[in-house]
């Protein structure tokens, strides 16, 4: 897949603002500061398409981006301890409302920080996706912080924790562009299956 011109579409704070599109919609989820915005910018070949911040918890809306063949929905980050209970509940409600309607996203990228074991919130998110039969893939971010040996070891640990094979986890780095082509190839397969089968539940994995 070659992404030529990705653009920001809009932000949504409530279900009546969630967009509908004839294009496949792929959601990105992960804890605060896991690197969702950086991943989006890497895929778009842009530095400032999605706003990045050193301060976790800045994304409080669902942000939509048009990538040509698909739309990417960046969901609010979860698990930031310094956010108030009210804010956490508000974010959680937005997430539940988003995933309650299968038209809001046909596929999900679940981001994990490769440097650390999955958090309780990461596990809760993955369990939620499983329990609701939502098709998704793991992307392990910030791989540039580790050696190749450590990347391999940590991918193995993540795979073991979620009872998946190692090739189901894509290690990436927005700094070095590590894993970018693998993510783009994955997107090719996802979009092909969505367009040809018309239902995310029919997506065939390798």
């Amino acid at each position: 897949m070659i992404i030529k011109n990705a653009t920001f579409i809009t932000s949504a704070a409530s279900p009546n603002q969630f967009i509908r599109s004839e294009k496949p919609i792929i959601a990105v989820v992960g804890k605060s500061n896991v690197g969702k915005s950086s991943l989006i910018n890497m895929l778009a070949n842009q530095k400032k398409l999605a706003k990045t911040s050193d301060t976790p918890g800045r994304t409080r809306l669902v942000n939509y981006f048009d990538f040509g063949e698909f739309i990417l929905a960046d969901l609010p980050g979860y698990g930031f301890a310094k956010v108030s209970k009210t804010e956490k509940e508000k974010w959680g409600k937005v997430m539940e409302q988003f995933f309650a309607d299968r038209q809001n996203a046909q596929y999900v990228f679940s981001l994990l920080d490769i440097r650390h074991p999955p958090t309780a919130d990461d596990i809760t998110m993955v369990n939620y996706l499983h329990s609701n039969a939502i098709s998704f893939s793991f992307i392990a971010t910030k791989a540039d912080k580790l050696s190749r040996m450590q990347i391999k070891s940590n991918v193995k640990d993540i795979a073991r924790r979620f009872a998946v094979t190692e090739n189901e986890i894509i290690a990436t780095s927005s700094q070095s562009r590590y894993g970018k082509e693998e993510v783009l190839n994955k997107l090719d397969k996802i979009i092909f299956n969505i367009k040809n089968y018309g239902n995310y539940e029919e997506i065939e994995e390798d």
Side-chain angles (χ1 to χ4, degrees):
M1 173 180 292
I2 299 175
I3 296 171
K4 296 181 179 179
N5 184 31
T7 57
F8 172 74
I9 302 174
T10 189
S11 296
S14 58
N16 65 329
Q17 295 176 330
F18 295 158
I19 71 171
R20 292 286 190 271
S21 176
E22 294 181 357
K23 298 180 181 181
I25 300 177
I26 298 172
V28 177
V29 301
K31 68 180 182 181
S32 296
N33 213 31
V34 73
K36 293 188 283 91
S37 295
S38 295
L39 175 72
I40 293 167
N41 289 336
M42 178 182 75
L43 295 177
N45 294 311
Q46 298 183 37
K47 293 183 178 180
K48 298 180 179 180
L49 176 62
K51 294 182 180 179
T52 60
S53 173
D54 292 331
T55 304
R58 288 291 299 275
T59 303
R60 305 189 180 191
L61 306 168
V62 178
N63 293 315
Y64 291 95
F65 303 88
D66 189 341
F67 274 73
E69 292 188 50
F70 67 96
I71 288 173
L72 197 150
D74 180 19
L75 272 65
Y78 55 74
F80 183 47
K82 293 184 180 180
V83 173
S84 68
K85 182 179 179 181
T86 300
E87 281 293 332
K88 287 182 180 180
E89 290 175 350
K90 180 180 177 181
W91 295 358
K93 187 174 182 181
V94 170
M95 298 276 273
E96 287 184 9
Q97 291 171 328
F98 183 87
F99 287 116
D101 187 340
R102 299 300 174 85
Q103 296 302 310
N104 288 329
Q106 288 76 50
Y107 203 87
V108 176
F109 280 148
S110 181
L111 272 58
L112 305 167
D113 188 330
I114 197 171
R115 301 172 299 174
H116 310 294
T119 66
D121 289 315
D122 289 328
I123 294 168
T124 296
M125 185 74 246
V126 171
N127 288 341
Y128 179 85
L129 295 173
H130 276 307
S131 64
N132 287 276
I134 299 170
S135 296
F136 70 97
S137 294
F138 291 104
I139 293 183
T141 62
K142 307 191 179 185
D144 59 290
K145 308 296 183 182
L146 304 177
S147 68
R148 287 188 176 272
M149 188 72 74
Q150 289 173 313
I151 291 171
K152 186 175 181 179
S153 176
N154 288 17
V155 164
K156 184 179 292 185
D157 290 342
I158 293 170
R160 186 183 302 114
R161 176 62 187 83
F162 291 111
V164 298
T165 61
E166 292 173 41
N167 62 9
E168 293 179 69
I169 299 166
I170 304 175
T172 66
S173 166
S174 60
Q175 297 297 316
S176 66
R177 301 298 191 264
Y178 182 90
K180 178 181 177 181
E181 288 305 314
E182 195 172 350
V183 176
L184 291 174
N185 290 339
K186 184 67 177 181
L187 283 165
D188 266 330
K189 295 177 182 178
I190 293 167
I191 293 166
F192 174 85
N193 281 306
I194 290 175
K195 288 183 176 180
N196 284 274
Y197 296 108
N199 190 318
Y200 71 92
E201 292 178 346
E202 297 181 45
I203 290 175
E204 299 173 352
E205 297 294 341
D206 291 337

